[in-house]
C-alpha cells in the first residue's frame, strides 16, 4: 500500500467518522478498544518479521 501521510490521515478520519455514526459511547469504547488491539497485534507481527529477517 503506497500512500503519503496526508492521504493516510484523511482515510483514517473518514473511517473513524463512518464507523462511529449512530453509535453509543459504550459501542464506541468497544470499537475503539478493538481497533487498538488489532493495531497492537499487527505491530507485534511486523516487529517479529523484521527481527527474523535481520537474523537471516
Amino acid at each position: 500500500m503506497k500512500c503519503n501521510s496526508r492521504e493516510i490521515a484523511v482515510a483514517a478520519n473518514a473511517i473513524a467518522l463512518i464507523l462511529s455514526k449512530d453509535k453509543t459511547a459504550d459501542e464506541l469504547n468497544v470499537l475503539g478498544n478493538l481497533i487498538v488491539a488489532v493495531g497492537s497485534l499487527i505491530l507485534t507481527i511486523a516487529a517479529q518479521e523484521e527481527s527474523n529477517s535481520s537474523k537471516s
Side-chain angles (χ1 to χ4, degrees):
M1 184 163 108
K2 203 114 166 147
C3 296
N4 68 39
S5 58
R6 290 173 194 242
E7 292 170 334
I8 292 171
V10 169
N13 191 341
I15 291 167
L17 290 171
I18 290 166
L19 291 178
S20 65
K21 186 176 181 186
D22 299 325
K23 301 282 189 296
T24 66
D26 285 340
E27 291 170 330
L28 290 172
N29 279 319
V30 170
L31 182 59
N33 285 320
L34 173 66
I35 292 168
V36 168
V38 170
S40 295
L41 290 169
I42 290 170
L43 290 171
T44 301
I45 292 166
Q48 187 63 46
E49 287 182 4
E50 187 173 323
S51 175
N52 289 342
S53 68
S54 68
K55 292 178 184 176
S56 300

Coordinates of all heavy atoms in Angstrom, one line a residue:
M1 N 0.9 -1.2 0.0 CA 0.0 0.0 0.0 C 0.9 1.2 0.0 O 1.7 1.4 0.9 CB -0.9 0.0 1.2 CG -1.9 1.1 1.3 SD -3.2 0.8 2.4 CE -2.8 1.9 3.7
K2 N 0.7 2.1 -1.0 CA 1.6 3.2 -1.1 C 0.7 4.5 -1.0 O 0.0 4.9 -1.9 CB 2.3 3.2 -2.5 CG 3.5 4.0 -2.5 CD 4.7 3.0 -2.7 CE 5.8 3.8 -3.2 NZ 7.1 3.3 -2.7
C3 N 0.8 5.2 0.2 CA 0.1 6.4 0.4 C 1.0 7.4 1.1 O 1.9 6.9 1.9 CB -1.1 6.2 1.3 SG -2.4 5.1 0.6
N4 N 0.8 8.6 0.9 CA 1.6 9.6 1.7 C 0.9 9.8 3.0 O -0.3 9.4 3.3 CB 1.8 10.9 0.9 CG 0.6 11.7 0.7 OD1 -0.3 11.8 1.5 ND2 0.5 12.3 -0.5
S5 N 1.5 10.5 3.9 CA 1.0 10.7 5.3 C -0.3 11.4 5.3 O -1.2 11.1 6.1 CB 2.0 11.4 6.2 OG 2.4 12.7 5.6
R6 N -0.5 12.4 4.5 CA -1.8 13.1 4.4 C -2.9 12.3 4.0 O -4.1 12.3 4.5 CB -1.7 14.4 3.5 CG -0.8 15.4 4.2 CD -0.5 16.5 3.2 NE 0.6 17.3 3.7 CZ 0.5 18.6 4.0 NH1 -0.6 19.2 3.9 NH2 1.5 19.3 4.5
E7 N -2.7 11.4 3.0 CA -3.7 10.5 2.5 C -4.1 9.5 3.6 O -5.3 9.2 3.7 CB -3.2 9.8 1.2 CG -3.1 10.7 0.0 CD -2.4 10.0 -1.1 OE1 -1.6 9.0 -0.9 OE2 -2.6 10.4 -2.3
I8 N -3.2 9.0 4.3 CA -3.4 8.1 5.4 C -4.3 8.8 6.5 O -5.2 8.2 7.0 CB -2.1 7.5 6.0 CG1 -1.5 6.6 4.9 CG2 -2.4 6.8 7.3 CD1 -0.1 6.1 5.3
A9 N -3.9 10.1 6.8 CA -4.7 10.8 7.8 C -6.1 11.0 7.4 O -7.0 10.9 8.2 CB -4.0 12.1 8.1
V10 N -6.3 11.4 6.1 CA -7.7 11.6 5.6 C -8.5 10.3 5.6 O -9.6 10.3 6.0 CB -7.6 12.2 4.2 CG1 -9.0 12.2 3.5 CG2 -7.1 13.6 4.3
A11 N -7.8 9.2 5.2 CA -8.5 7.9 5.2 C -8.9 7.5 6.6 O -10.0 7.0 6.9 CB -7.6 6.8 4.6
A12 N -8.0 7.7 7.6 CA -8.3 7.3 9.0 C -9.4 8.1 9.5 O -10.3 7.6 10.2 CB -7.0 7.5 9.8
N13 N -9.4 9.4 9.2 CA -10.5 10.3 9.6 C -11.8 9.8 9.1 O -12.9 9.7 9.8 CB -10.2 11.7 9.2 CG -11.1 12.7 9.8 OD1 -12.2 12.4 10.3 ND2 -10.7 14.0 9.8
A14 N -11.9 9.5 7.8 CA -13.1 9.1 7.1 C -13.6 7.8 7.7 O -14.8 7.6 8.0 CB -12.9 8.9 5.6
I15 N -12.7 6.8 8.0 CA -13.1 5.6 8.5 C -13.6 5.8 9.9 O -14.7 5.2 10.3 CB -11.9 4.6 8.6 CG1 -11.5 4.2 7.1 CG2 -12.1 3.4 9.4 CD1 -10.1 3.5 7.0
A16 N -13.0 6.6 10.7 CA -13.5 6.9 12.1 C -14.9 7.5 12.1 O -15.8 7.1 12.9 CB -12.5 7.8 12.8
L17 N -15.1 8.4 11.2 CA -16.4 9.1 11.1 C -17.5 8.1 10.7 O -18.6 8.0 11.2 CB -16.4 10.3 10.2 CG -15.6 11.5 10.7 CD1 -15.4 12.5 9.6 CD2 -16.2 12.0 11.9
I18 N -17.2 7.2 9.7 CA -18.1 6.2 9.2 C -18.5 5.2 10.3 O -19.6 4.9 10.5 CB -17.6 5.6 7.9 CG1 -17.6 6.6 6.7 CG2 -18.4 4.3 7.6 CD1 -16.8 6.1 5.5
L19 N -17.4 4.7 10.9 CA -17.7 3.6 11.9 C -18.4 4.2 13.2 O -19.0 3.4 13.9 CB -16.3 3.0 12.3 CG -15.6 2.1 11.3 CD1 -14.3 1.6 11.8 CD2 -16.5 1.0 10.8
S20 N -18.2 5.5 13.5 CA -18.8 6.0 14.7 C -20.2 6.5 14.6 O -20.9 6.8 15.6 CB -17.9 7.1 15.3 OG -17.8 8.2 14.4
K21 N -20.7 6.6 13.3 CA -22.0 7.1 13.1 C -23.1 6.3 13.8 O -23.1 5.1 13.7 CB -22.3 7.2 11.6 CG -23.6 7.8 11.3 CD -23.9 8.0 9.8 CE -25.2 8.7 9.6 NZ -25.6 8.7 8.2
D22 N -23.9 7.0 14.6 CA -25.1 6.4 15.3 C -24.7 5.3 16.3 O -25.5 4.4 16.6 CB -26.1 5.8 14.3 CG -26.6 6.8 13.3 OD1 -26.8 7.9 13.7 OD2 -26.8 6.4 12.1
K23 N -23.5 5.4 16.9 CA -23.1 4.5 17.9 C -23.2 5.2 19.3 O -23.0 6.4 19.4 CB -21.6 4.1 17.7 CG -21.3 3.4 16.4 CD -21.8 2.0 16.4 CE -21.3 1.2 15.2 NZ -21.8 1.6 13.9
T24 N -23.4 4.4 20.3 CA -23.4 4.9 21.7 C -22.0 5.1 22.2 O -21.1 4.5 21.6 CB -24.2 4.0 22.6 OG1 -23.5 2.8 22.7 CG2 -25.6 3.7 22.2
A25 N -21.8 5.8 23.3 CA -20.5 5.9 23.9 C -19.9 4.5 24.2 O -18.7 4.3 24.0 CB -20.5 6.8 25.1
D26 N -20.7 3.6 24.7 CA -20.3 2.3 25.1 C -19.8 1.5 23.8 O -18.8 0.9 23.8 CB -21.3 1.5 25.8 CG -21.5 1.9 27.2 OD1 -20.6 2.5 27.8 OD2 -22.6 1.6 27.8
E27 N -20.6 1.6 22.8 CA -20.2 1.0 21.5 C -18.9 1.5 20.9 O -18.1 0.8 20.4 CB -21.4 1.1 20.5 CG -22.6 0.3 20.8 CD -23.8 0.6 19.9 OE1 -23.9 1.8 19.5 OE2 -24.6 -0.3 19.7
L28 N -18.8 2.9 21.0 CA -17.6 3.5 20.6 C -16.3 3.0 21.4 O -15.3 2.8 20.8 CB -17.7 5.0 20.6 CG -18.7 5.6 19.6 CD1 -18.8 7.1 19.9 CD2 -18.2 5.4 18.2
N29 N -16.5 2.9 22.7 CA -15.4 2.4 23.5 C -15.0 1.0 23.1 O -13.8 0.7 23.0 CB -15.8 2.4 25.0 CG -15.6 3.8 25.6 OD1 -14.7 4.5 25.3 ND2 -16.6 4.2 26.4
V30 N -16.0 0.1 22.9 CA -15.7 -1.3 22.5 C -15.0 -1.3 21.1 O -14.0 -1.9 20.9 CB -17.0 -2.1 22.4 CG1 -16.7 -3.5 21.8 CG2 -17.5 -2.3 23.8
L31 N -15.5 -0.5 20.2 CA -14.9 -0.5 18.8 C -13.5 0.1 18.9 O -12.6 -0.4 18.2 CB -15.8 0.4 17.9 CG -15.4 0.5 16.5 CD1 -15.3 -0.9 15.8 CD2 -16.4 1.4 15.7
G32 N -13.3 1.2 19.6 CA -12.0 1.8 19.7 C -11.0 0.8 20.4 O -9.9 0.7 19.9
N33 N -11.4 0.1 21.4 CA -10.5 -0.9 22.0 C -10.2 -2.0 21.1 O -9.1 -2.5 21.1 CB -11.1 -1.4 23.3 CG -11.0 -0.3 24.4 OD1 -10.0 0.3 24.6 ND2 -12.0 -0.2 25.2
L34 N -11.2 -2.4 20.3 CA -10.9 -3.5 19.3 C -9.9 -3.0 18.3 O -8.9 -3.8 17.9 CB -12.2 -3.9 18.6 CG -12.0 -4.9 17.5 CD1 -11.5 -6.2 18.0 CD2 -13.4 -5.0 16.7
I35 N -10.0 -1.8 17.8 CA -9.1 -1.3 16.8 C -7.7 -1.2 17.4 O -6.7 -1.5 16.7 CB -9.6 0.0 16.2 CG1 -10.9 -0.2 15.4 CG2 -8.6 0.8 15.4 CD1 -11.7 1.0 15.0
V36 N -7.6 -0.7 18.6 CA -6.3 -0.6 19.2 C -5.7 -2.0 19.4 O -4.5 -2.2 19.1 CB -6.4 0.1 20.6 CG1 -5.1 0.0 21.4 CG2 -6.7 1.6 20.4
A37 N -6.4 -3.0 19.8 CA -5.9 -4.3 20.0 C -5.4 -4.9 18.6 O -4.3 -5.5 18.6 CB -7.0 -5.2 20.6
V38 N -6.2 -4.7 17.6 CA -5.8 -5.2 16.3 C -4.5 -4.5 15.8 O -3.6 -5.2 15.3 CB -6.9 -5.0 15.2 CG1 -6.4 -5.3 13.8 CG2 -8.1 -5.9 15.5
G39 N -4.4 -3.2 16.0 CA -3.2 -2.5 15.7 C -2.0 -2.9 16.4 O -0.9 -3.1 15.9
S40 N -2.2 -3.2 17.7 CA -1.1 -3.7 18.5 C -0.6 -5.0 18.0 O 0.6 -5.3 18.0 CB -1.5 -3.8 20.0 OG -1.8 -2.5 20.5
L41 N -1.5 -5.9 17.7 CA -1.1 -7.2 17.2 C -0.4 -7.1 15.8 O 0.6 -7.8 15.5 CB -2.3 -8.1 17.0 CG -2.9 -8.6 18.4 CD1 -4.2 -9.3 18.2 CD2 -1.9 -9.5 19.1
I42 N -0.9 -6.2 15.0 CA -0.2 -6.0 13.7 C 1.2 -5.5 13.9 O 2.2 -6.0 13.2 CB -1.0 -5.0 12.8 CG1 -2.3 -5.7 12.3 CG2 -0.2 -4.6 11.6 CD1 -3.3 -4.8 11.6
L43 N 1.4 -4.6 14.8 CA 2.7 -4.1 15.1 C 3.7 -5.1 15.7 O 4.8 -5.2 15.3 CB 2.7 -2.9 16.0 CG 2.1 -1.6 15.5 CD1 1.8 -0.6 16.6 CD2 2.9 -1.0 14.4
T44 N 3.1 -6.0 16.5 CA 3.9 -7.1 17.1 C 4.3 -8.1 16.0 O 5.5 -8.5 15.9 CB 3.0 -7.9 18.1 OG1 2.7 -6.9 19.2 CG2 3.8 -9.0 18.7
I45 N 3.4 -8.4 15.0 CA 3.7 -9.3 13.9 C 4.8 -8.6 13.1 O 5.8 -9.3 12.7 CB 2.5 -9.6 13.1 CG1 1.5 -10.5 13.9 CG2 2.9 -10.3 11.8 CD1 0.1 -10.6 13.3
A46 N 4.7 -7.4 12.8 CA 5.7 -6.7 11.9 C 7.1 -6.6 12.6 O 8.1 -6.9 12.0 CB 5.2 -5.2 11.6
A47 N 7.1 -6.4 13.9 CA 8.3 -6.4 14.6 C 9.0 -7.8 14.6 O 10.2 -7.9 14.5 CB 8.1 -5.9 16.1
Q48 N 8.2 -8.8 14.8 CA 8.7 -10.2 14.8 C 9.3 -10.5 13.4 O 10.4 -11.1 13.3 CB 7.7 -11.2 15.2 CG 8.2 -12.6 15.3 CD 9.2 -12.7 16.4 OE1 9.1 -12.2 17.5 NE2 10.4 -13.3 16.2
E49 N 8.6 -10.1 12.3 CA 9.0 -10.4 11.0 C 10.3 -9.6 10.7 O 11.3 -10.2 10.1 CB 8.0 -10.0 10.0 CG 6.8 -11.0 9.9 CD 5.8 -10.6 8.9 OE1 6.0 -9.7 8.1 OE2 4.8 -11.3 8.8
E50 N 10.4 -8.4 11.2 CA 11.6 -7.6 11.0 C 12.8 -8.2 11.7 O 13.9 -8.3 11.2 CB 11.4 -6.2 11.5 CG 12.6 -5.3 11.1 CD 12.2 -3.8 11.5 OE1 11.1 -3.4 11.3 OE2 13.2 -3.1 12.0
S51 N 12.5 -8.7 12.9 CA 13.6 -9.3 13.8 C 14.1 -10.6 13.1 O 15.3 -10.9 13.0 CB 13.0 -9.6 15.1 OG 14.0 -10.4 15.9
N52 N 13.1 -11.4 12.6 CA 13.5 -12.7 11.9 C 14.3 -12.4 10.6 O 15.3 -13.1 10.3 CB 12.3 -13.5 11.6 CG 11.6 -14.1 12.8 OD1 12.2 -14.2 13.8 ND2 10.4 -14.4 12.6
S53 N 13.9 -11.4 9.9 CA 14.7 -11.1 8.6 C 16.0 -10.5 8.9 O 16.9 -10.7 8.1 CB 13.8 -10.1 7.7 OG 13.8 -8.9 8.3
S54 N 16.2 -9.8 10.0 CA 17.6 -9.3 10.3 C 18.5 -10.3 10.8 O 19.7 -10.2 10.7 CB 17.5 -8.1 11.3 OG 17.1 -8.6 12.6
K55 N 18.0 -11.5 11.2 CA 18.8 -12.6 11.7 C 19.3 -13.5 10.5 O 20.2 -14.2 10.7 CB 18.1 -13.4 12.7 CG 17.8 -12.8 14.0 CD 17.0 -13.6 14.9 CE 16.6 -12.9 16.2 NZ 15.7 -13.6 17.1
S56 N 18.6 -13.3 9.4 CA 19.0 -14.2 8.2 C 20.2 -13.7 7.5 O 20.6 -12.6 7.5 CB 17.8 -14.2 7.2 OG 16.7 -14.7 7.8

